[in-house]
């Protein structure tokens, strides 16, 4: 079975930085193939989950407009870890952050109607003074 575990969430002051990690296992078939998509999403109380950033198996990346260059998504295929480097954090970035995976190119999600089925439990990020 697929397992994804987020870590790195913390309470930080505005303007601070954090790096989230997502260790994954049971994703055989994802590595060694360009046809997969790993993503970061976030959700606040009373709101629907929103996209943050995704990365293709071949390394291509996609970012939500609100990131504005502040966040960087990356992955280490040797260690099977997905990262989200965040800087210049704002109070509105406060949310529970989730990682997810699907064995499709990211465009299948953005324009093909496919959804992520494999999710981690999430890690809380709180930005306040």
């Amino acid at each position: 079975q697929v397992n994804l575990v987020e870590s790195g969430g913390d309470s930080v002051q505005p303007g601070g930085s954090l790096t989230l990690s997502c260790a994954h296992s049971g994703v055989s078939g994802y590595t060694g193939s360009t046809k997969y998509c790993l993503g970061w999403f976030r959700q606040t109380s009373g709101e629907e989950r929103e996209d943050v950033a995704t990365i293709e198996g071949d390394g291509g990346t996609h970012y939500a407009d609100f990131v504005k260059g502040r966040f960087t998504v990356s992955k280490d295929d040797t260690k099977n870890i997905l990262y989200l480097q965040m800087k210049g954090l704002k109070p509105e970035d406060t949310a529970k952050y989730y990682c997810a995976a699907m064995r499709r190119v990211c465009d299948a999600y953005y324009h093909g109607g496919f959804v992520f089925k494999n999710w981690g439990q999430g890690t809380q990020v709180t930005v306040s003074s």
Side-chain angles (χ1 to χ4, degrees):
Q1 62 181 30
V2 176
N3 188 39
L4 303 105
V5 181
E6 303 92 338
S7 63
D10 204 351
S11 179
V12 64
Q13 296 182 351
S17 63
L18 281 174
T19 296
L20 306 182
S21 298
C22 173
H24 60 86
S25 62
V27 197
S28 59
Y30 285 62
T31 58
S33 174
T34 60
K35 298 180 180 179
Y36 70 86
C37 182
L38 300 173
W40 285 101
F41 303 80
R42 69 187 189 185
Q43 186 172 30
T44 58
S45 180
E47 301 291 335
E48 293 187 357
R49 186 173 290 153
E50 64 180 352
D51 305 338
V52 175
T54 57
I55 185 166
E56 308 273 7
D58 66 3
T61 58
H62 312 265
Y63 295 95
D65 291 339
F66 64 77
V67 172
K68 300 183 184 301
R70 298 182 298 123
F71 294 3
T72 301
V73 63
S74 63
K75 61 186 178 69
D76 186 328
D77 292 330
T78 299
K79 297 180 179 180
N80 290 331
I81 300 178
L82 172 70
Y83 300 100
L84 181 67
Q85 186 177 53
M86 306 182 291
K87 60 181 179 181
L89 285 164
K90 305 175 180 180
E92 53 262 43
D93 292 319
T94 296
K96 193 167 187 178
Y97 285 71
Y98 300 85
C99 62
M102 64 184 297
R103 194 157 59 244
R104 303 276 184 178
V105 295
C106 294
D107 189 63
Y109 164 71
Y110 290 115
H111 302 112
F114 287 86
V115 299
F116 286 87
K117 297 291 186 180
N118 303 300
W119 296 86
Q121 293 298 305
T123 185
Q124 181 67 40
V125 172
T126 301
V127 185
S128 65
S129 59

